[in-house]
Amino acid sequence: MQRALVLGGGGVTGVAWELGLLAGLVERGVPVTEADLVVGTSAGSLVGAQVCSGLPVERFYAEQLAPPSSELAARLGFATLARLIWAGGRTRDAVRSRARIGAMAVAARTQSEASRRVVIEARLPDREWPQRRLLITAVDASSGEFVVFDSDSGVSLVDAVGASCAVPGVWPPVTIGARRFVDGGMRSSVNADLAAGARRVLVLAPTSAAFGPMPRLSAQVDALRVAGSRVVVLTPDAAARTAIGRNVLDPARRAGAARAGRAQADVVADEVAAIWE
């Protein structure tokens, strides 16, 4: 496997920043959307499905610039973050930590699964799994098991993306068969280790936050490099962080985050091209 594109979580603004960065890199002649493997976690799962659809990334970037209209803003506020850290940070056992987070998510009062599914479905240009290798991460809310969905999993693309984006305490867990799933970012905000074996890896990480027993992005990247991969990790620069603001789930911040990502592509294009081509 030659090239892997790893897309991390980061809310509504993370989607926008990633699409802006990807559109800017493609415009500058760096074909990052042609990766052999795409790994998507949370917001990155949506971007990954869009990138693998075969449609130009410019289309999805343009959608980020549209006014949010009736789209509801959510908030991953201090209280929710505190509950996440309290639930998941009281043990060094990663699986037990995720199970506790899952229990918190199941007990939380959120909108219905059905209404949330409509939102996810509307953001996907194609409801079928792509031909290209796409991995989407999630966590079993009951057992804490880390799960990776792909085209062979027997799970619909809509449900896989919905599960990966199910932020505990904000959005409802997604029911698939007899199991319920929450955000893949509860294992790692990026899950870059799933790109193992790729010679060249580009990681977009709107956030690299970790707590409790979560594996750190830095450790995952170090392991990839030790195994022989050439890796570039991109995180929001100062201008992008300002555009994103404090609430990553606010649609009103989406356009600014997308433009900031595109502007950042000017700065990083040569660095990415050096490993990608």
Side-chain angles (χ1 to χ4, degrees), residues 17-68:
W17 175 77
E18 288 181 351
L19 287 170
L21 194 50
L22 292 172
L25 289 170
V26 170
E27 181 183 37
R28 286 154 187 77
V30 189
V32 288
T33 56
E34 297 176 8
D36 305 298
L37 168 69
V38 177
V39 177
T41 292
S42 198
S45 70
L46 177 60
V47 177
Q50 292 175 336
V51 163
C52 291
S53 69
L55 297 173
V57 69
E58 189 68 33
R59 163 184 162 165
F60 303 113
Y61 169 76
E63 290 176 352
Q64 299 302 306
L65 305 182

Side-chain angles (χ1 to χ4, degrees), residues 18-277:
E18 288 181 351
L19 287 170
L21 194 50
L22 292 172
L25 289 170
V26 170
E27 181 183 37
R28 286 154 187 77
V30 189
V32 288
T33 56
E34 297 176 8
D36 305 298
L37 168 69
V38 177
V39 177
T41 292
S42 198
S45 70
L46 177 60
V47 177
Q50 292 175 336
V51 163
C52 291
S53 69
L55 297 173
V57 69
E58 189 68 33
R59 163 184 162 165
F60 303 113
Y61 169 76
E63 290 176 352
Q64 299 302 306
L65 305 182
S69 63
S70 61
E71 185 174 354
L72 295 176
R75 176 173 288 278
L76 185 59
F78 175 78
T80 303
L81 283 171
R83 287 197 298 272
L84 278 173
I85 294 170
W86 174 251
R90 291 180 293 156
T91 174
R92 295 184 179 180
D93 185 314
V95 176
R96 181 177 297 178
S97 171
R98 296 194 294 265
R100 287 176 172 171
I101 291 172
M104 183 272 279
V106 169
R109 297 180 63 182
T110 64
Q111 70 179 98
S112 69
E113 280 191 62
S115 60
R116 179 61 179 163
R117 194 178 196 278
V118 169
V119 173
I120 297 296
E121 193 170 43
R123 293 175 180 171
L124 295 177
D126 195 337
R127 276 61 165 181
E128 301 298 323
W129 284 89
Q131 293 295 316
R132 202 159 7 141
R133 181 79 166 143
L134 172 64
L135 303 181
I136 294 178
T137 67
V139 168
D140 185 302
S142 177
S143 68
E145 176 191 357
F146 178 57
V147 178
V148 181
F149 297 119
D150 62 16
S151 59
D152 296 324
S153 298
V155 172
S156 76
L157 182 61
V158 175
D159 285 339
V161 172
S164 193
C165 292
V167 181
V170 178
W171 307 121
V174 171
T175 302
I176 302 175
R179 304 168 73 185
R180 303 189 76 189
F181 296 90
V182 296
D183 198 316
M186 296 304 100
R187 187 263 182 174
S188 162
S189 61
V190 184
N191 293 299
D193 53 333
L194 295 181
R199 292 180 61 191
R200 306 165 189 180
V201 182
L202 173 61
V203 178
L204 304 192
T207 177
S208 57
F211 60 88
M214 284 184 174
R216 272 45 179 179
L217 173 60
S218 58
Q220 294 178 345
V221 171
D222 287 346
L224 289 172
R225 288 175 173 153
V226 167
S229 299
R230 298 180 65 189
V231 186
V232 167
V233 178
L234 301 180
T235 59
D237 60 14
R241 291 194 299 271
T242 299
I244 288 169
R246 294 185 177 182
N247 182 13
V248 300
L249 299 178
D250 185 358
R253 292 278 185 170
R254 187 173 58 198
R259 292 190 178 99
R262 187 154 201 159
Q264 189 174 347
D266 280 335
V267 180
V268 302
D270 289 344
E271 178 186 9
V272 177
I275 70 151
W276 202 253
E277 300 175 359

